[in-house]
């Protein structure tokens, strides 16, 4: 099965609320990345956290990484309608270029 | 220039056609990737080129043939495709790390929406 699994699969919230998405993976990683994809478009890189980091912030984004549990979470604070998109975690293995994407969380922010 | 461009945006082809997808970046990245993405699914890695050499081929059928003519260009040649090959094809690039691993973010192009009739 896939390296990265995400939950929830879909999330619907009101504008201004926080959104939390989780990602689990199976093998050792170099880093874990989060990407956003608007409908049918290319992916946009949001944030990268390395395996020796536990938490990282970027604007309204907060990512945590727990390598002992092989899991990560993405928190988007004060969500906006423009945050409506699919969010994917992606893991880079320790051995090379192979990047595996999780199933994704579809976020819908209602104005 | 922090952009990855892909052409064409849309492509419709028959099962007997031969076509090519093109990808270009001018960020000096030496790793380039092809992904296939079906609707409501995550991108699936197809090929990786590192320093213009094929580094990863994820058991992709031979009807897909990648080519990296130089450090800025990546092509995907298509021949005798099947309707199930219809998908969004994404190109990406990144800096390769020291030991040949991907340690950095990948920059994605907007994709080519491929329909095989």
């Amino acid at each position: 099965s896939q390296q990265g699994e995400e939950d929830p699969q879909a999330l619907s919230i009101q504008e201004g609320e926080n959104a939390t998405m989780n990602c689990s993976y199976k093998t050792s990683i170099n880093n874990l990345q989060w990407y956003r994809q608007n409908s049918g478009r290319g992916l946009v890189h949001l944030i990268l956290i390395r395996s020796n980091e536990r938490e990282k912030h970027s604007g309204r984004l907060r990512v945590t990484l727990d390598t002992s549990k092989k899991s990560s979470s993405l928190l988007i604070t004060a969500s906006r309608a423009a945050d409506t998109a699919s969010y994917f975690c992606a893991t880079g293995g320790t051995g090379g270029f192979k990047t595996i994407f999780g199933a994704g969380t579809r976020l819908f922010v209602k104005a | 220039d922090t952009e990855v461009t892909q052409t064409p945006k849309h492509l419709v082809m028959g099962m007997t056609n031969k076509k090519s997808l093109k990808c270009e970046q001018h960020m000096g990245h030496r790793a380039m990737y092809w992904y296939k993405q079906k609707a409501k699914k995550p991108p699936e890695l197809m090929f990786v080129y590192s320093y213009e050499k094929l580094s990863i081929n994820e058991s992709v059928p031979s009807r897909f043939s990648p080519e990296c003519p130089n450090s800025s260009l990546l092509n995907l040649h298509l021949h005798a495709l099947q309707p199930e090959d219809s998908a969004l094809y994404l190109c990406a690039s990144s800096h390769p790390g020291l030991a040949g691993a991907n340690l950095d973010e990948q920059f994605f192009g907007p994709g080519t929406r491929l329909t095989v009739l």
Side-chain angles (χ1 to χ4, degrees), chain B:
Chain B
D1 185 357
T2 57
E3 192 181 38
V4 176
T5 59
Q6 288 186 245
T7 55
K9 285 188 169 53
H10 300 275
L11 179 62
V12 179
M13 59 187 290
M15 289 189 285
T16 58
N17 292 156
K18 283 186 182 180
K19 296 286 184 184
S20 296
L21 309 184
K22 296 185 184 303
C23 174
E24 190 167 3
Q25 57 88 16
H26 294 287
M27 293 176 279
H29 290 167
R30 303 305 294 274
M32 295 186 76
Y33 309 73
W34 279 116
Y35 289 89
K36 173 183 176 180
Q37 186 179 27
K38 302 283 271 185
K40 297 185 179 180
K41 295 290 186 183
E44 294 178 12
L45 185 65
M46 299 174 72
F47 302 104
V48 180
Y49 274 83
S50 172
Y51 293 92
E52 295 91 70
K53 288 189 179 355
L54 186 63
S55 175
I56 292 178
N57 176 342
E58 288 288 282
S59 302
V60 179
S62 60
R63 56 186 185 268
F64 294 91
S65 175
E67 179 197 18
C68 191
N70 60 55
S71 60
S72 299
L73 293 174
L74 186 66
N75 298 322
L76 186 63
H77 303 296
L78 314 172
H79 174 53
L81 294 194
Q82 304 296 310
E84 59 264 29
D85 297 322
S86 298
L88 181 68
Y89 287 84
L90 295 163
C91 173
S93 69
S94 72
H95 282 295
L98 292 172
N102 173 29
L103 297 178
D104 277 313
E105 66 181 277
Q106 293 181 32
F107 289 76
F108 280 81
T112 293
R113 175 77 56 193
L114 174 67
T115 302
V116 182
L117 301 176

